[in-house]
Amino acid sequence: MKKNKIAVAVALCMAAVLTACGGTAKTETTKAAGAETTKAGAETTKAGAETTKAGAESSAAGGKLVMVTNAEFPPYEYHDNNDIVGIDADIAKAIADKMGMELEIQDMAFDSLIPAVQSGKADFTAAGMTVNEDRKKNVDFTDTYAQAAQVIIVKDGSDIKVPADLDGKKIGVQTGTTGDIYAGDIKDANINRYNKGMEAVMALTQGKIDAVVIDREPAKVFVKENAGLKILDEAFTEEEYAIAVKKGNTELLEKMNAAIKELKDSGELQKIVDKYITAE
Ligand code: GLN
């Protein structure tokens, strides 16, 4: 479908030699986005699909969905050479496929994701994002697609054994995450904010902080990669992930929910999870 459209566009451009078509062939989309794009995105740009700053609406109309994420969150989203891969990337691709649309993924800071969706720069964010009441005021969430938790990482031998032991401790979090938000409830906590979860984990290994509050699956990856760390048995919070779209974009929300339901019912969603998370 898309290819045919591109072929027609190219044919039209050829017919209108040296006319305005040339203007649409520049790589502005990619540059303006200022971030990595998927191969599909790059091809679209080359083929001359026009997107504007208005982003969401125009790109959606052009058969492309723009997703924003923070690719520092394995196994949900991370860099693999020049690609952004992970559970969210695969789920988003499967949803886009079901909707007959292309997917472009852009990487940005976690606390820029909701603003990007609100402004229409992106159609949606899939970023291991926890549904919470505050965020619901700014974006609309799809049905949830994963159970999650904030857990506590400490050094082996730490005197922090349960969440209550965090009182008065130096705690590392990733800026703007639920770990950051809920760590604020800890009595006399000294919160240290980092742009990437991994940076908080590094600070812990270096003894600069006493614990890291972060999502369970990334925590497992980071603990595996760094000797001398462990995850406490008792979780800090229980949460659920969902995709967020611009407030009031019910058309996209409903289409995404229908696709998520199909992915759940067919077992495809579980297959994606199993590809990245091996059972213990
Ligand atoms: N689940 C956490 C949140 O929504 C962290 C997500 C992330 O760092 N990508 O705030």
Side-chain angles (χ1 to χ4, degrees):
M1 264 283 272
K2 185 69 205 169
K3 274 196 183 136
N4 288 343
K5 267 193 210 160
I6 291 168
V8 171
V10 170
L12 286 175
C13 279
M14 284 171 147
V17 186
L18 299 178
T19 63
C21 284
T24 63
K26 56 192 174 190
T27 52
E28 231 167 27
T29 312
T30 318
K31 275 193 202 140
E36 261 173 68
T37 54
T38 60
K39 274 183 199 147
E43 265 162 34
T44 310
T45 310
K46 265 190 232 148
E50 207 175 332
T51 52
T52 64
K53 265 198 185 159
E57 286 84 356
S58 57
S59 61
K64 185 172 72 169
L65 282 170
V66 177
M67 158 176 156
V68 284
T69 195
N70 174 237
E72 304 292 342
F73 198 71
Y76 282 90
E77 41 268 332
Y78 56 98
H79 294 276
D80 180 18
N81 295 318
N82 287 330
D83 293 325
I84 294 171
V85 298
I87 296 171
D88 286 334
D90 280 13
I91 291 175
K93 179 75 174 66
I95 292 173
D97 282 350
K98 286 193 182 297
M99 290 172 61
M101 298 182 73
E102 285 181 47
L103 178 71
E104 176 183 323
I105 303 179
Q106 296 177 8
D107 186 23
M108 57 178 63
F110 184 79
D111 56 357
S112 299
L113 297 174
I114 287 183
V117 171
Q118 284 182 296
S119 70
K121 186 179 186 309
D123 296 303
F124 68 94
T125 178
M129 187 170 284
T130 303
V131 179
N132 79 7
E133 292 309 313
D134 263 355
R135 290 175 181 167
K136 275 190 199 168
K137 291 178 197 154
N138 299 317
V139 285
D140 285 340
F141 282 102
T142 62
D143 296 334
T144 58
Y145 62 86
Q147 298 292 324
Q150 295 297 306
V151 296
I152 298 161
I153 308 176
V154 294
K155 272 189 169 179
D156 286 336
S158 166
D159 59 350
I160 302 171
K161 314 262 187 233
V162 290
D165 296 336
L166 287 174
D167 290 0
K169 300 287 189 193
K170 280 191 207 143
I171 299 156
V173 296
Q174 186 184 359
T175 311
T177 61
T178 43
D180 183 0
I181 298 163
Y182 304 135
D185 296 338
I186 298 165
K187 206 169 137 251
D188 300 324
N190 175 343
I191 312 281
N192 292 251
R193 296 185 174 83
Y194 301 87
N195 286 327
K196 303 174 182 181
M198 189 59 190
E199 289 170 4
V201 173
M202 287 292 104
L204 177 63
T205 59
Q206 292 159 7
K208 291 179 183 160
I209 53 175
D210 304 310
V212 173
V213 174
I214 193 165
D215 297 58
R216 176 175 283 138
E217 293 306 328
K220 284 193 211 161
V221 175
F222 297 147
V223 165
K224 210 170 161 192
E225 287 171 354
N226 293 277
L229 301 179
K230 65 174 180 186
I231 298 171
L232 297 188
D233 289 340
E234 195 180 327
F236 188 60
T237 60
E238 298 293 337
E239 322 187 321
E240 285 186 309
Y241 294 159
I243 291 171
V245 304
K246 190 174 182 171
K247 220 164 175 40
N249 192 352
T250 41
E251 195 190 336
L252 180 59
L253 193 73
E254 279 165 16
K255 282 184 185 161
M256 290 191 119
N257 275 339
I260 290 169
K261 186 172 185 314
E262 277 179 38
L263 292 173
K264 282 182 183 169
D265 292 349
S266 67
E268 210 178 322
L269 182 69
Q270 191 56 47
K271 259 194 212 150
I272 291 173
V273 172
D274 292 345
K275 179 176 153 193
Y276 292 95
I277 302 176
T278 38
E280 282 120 64

